[in-house]
Amino acid sequence: MLNEKIAVITGASRGIGAAIAKKMAENGATVIINYQGSVQAAQALEAEIREKGGKAVTYKCDVSDFDKCEKFIGDVVKEYGRIDILVNNAGITRDGLLMGMKEEDFDSVIKTNLKGAFNCLKAVTPIMLKQKYGKIVNMASVVGVVGNPGQVNYCASKAGLIGMTKSLAKEIGSRNITVNAIAPGFIDTDMTKILSDDQKKKILSQIPLNKFGNVEDIANVALFLGSENSNYITGQVIHVDGGMAM
Ligand code: NAP
């Protein structure tokens, strides 16, 4: 499905990003596993993909740093000549009610989740424009659409990402580049492990399918949006949330 395609996946050392990397590699893509701190996890993922006959390489880069992203993407293009798929997946949370939220908690979440996507898009978009081909997938969240108490910073970053997705889709659609977002609901990863049982129970009561999602649920949709099966879809937010938002 993705034979000969070069896919850059940010925040791919763990969780959803790692599942997307595996899925895209299984489907023939060469995957660039971006990470920031989890070097061992990233290298283990690279080894796992290669053992199964897939193509993968790790690349350390803090996506919140504009210059580092430029170098990261420049290095990938030098090595592989093109970038077909960009998944802006790297993300963090720094939860707390607004009254107690520190300025740095707001800034760091916006800088990683929203500005990080901007940094990668700035570097990758000129390459895709030249190729007249590209598939961009931004990892938003259900709470970027419906809001969530205790996540003013995170929801703002994800709502921003949705606005960015739609605007860029309109800017570059005529050059055969699609730009879509995925809005996951509650997915079982390190990010959600920190929630208390009470919080999890409350969330579960809002999910019509009555279960939490897993990383495969998101990877399947990322594969679709990264493939030519989604050629006539752009500017969309695909909800993968068991029906939480409808
Ligand atoms: P996770 O398990 O906490 O993994 C986060 C990933 O992002 C890690 O690979 C981490 O790399 C990377 N990362 C963080 N800061 C980075 C930076 N500055 N530069 C590069 N990489 C960075 O999270 P997840 O649950 O898989 O979430 C993945 C995405 O889905 C996030 O954007 C998240 O907001 C979104 N999402 C998740 C859920 C959910 O329920 N889990 C729901 C909605 C949306 P290192 O470990 O190497 O630092």
Side-chain angles (χ1 to χ4, degrees), residues 10-18 34-39 41-42 61-65 88-93 111-113 139-143 154 157-158 161 182-192 215 218:
T10 71
S13 50
R14 298 181 282 121
I16 291 171
N34 160 252
Y35 68 98
Q36 183 190 25
S38 305
V39 58
C61 172
D62 174 356
V63 296
S64 71
D65 185 313
N88 280 313
N89 168 79
I92 58 168
T93 51
K111 218 175 151 196
T112 301
N113 299 6
M139 203 55 69
S141 170
V142 62
V143 298
Y154 183 78
S157 73
K158 296 301 186 180
L161 210 43
I182 298 175
F186 184 106
I187 308 300
D188 190 15
T189 67
D190 293 345
M191 188 176 268
T192 45
V215 293
I218 307 301

Side-chain angles (χ1 to χ4, degrees), residues 125-140:
T125 301
I127 295 149
M128 290 184 169
L129 285 171
K130 242 190 251 166
Q131 291 169 183
K132 293 200 174 61
Y133 183 87
K135 298 270 171 199
I136 294 167
V137 181
N138 294 323
M139 203 55 69

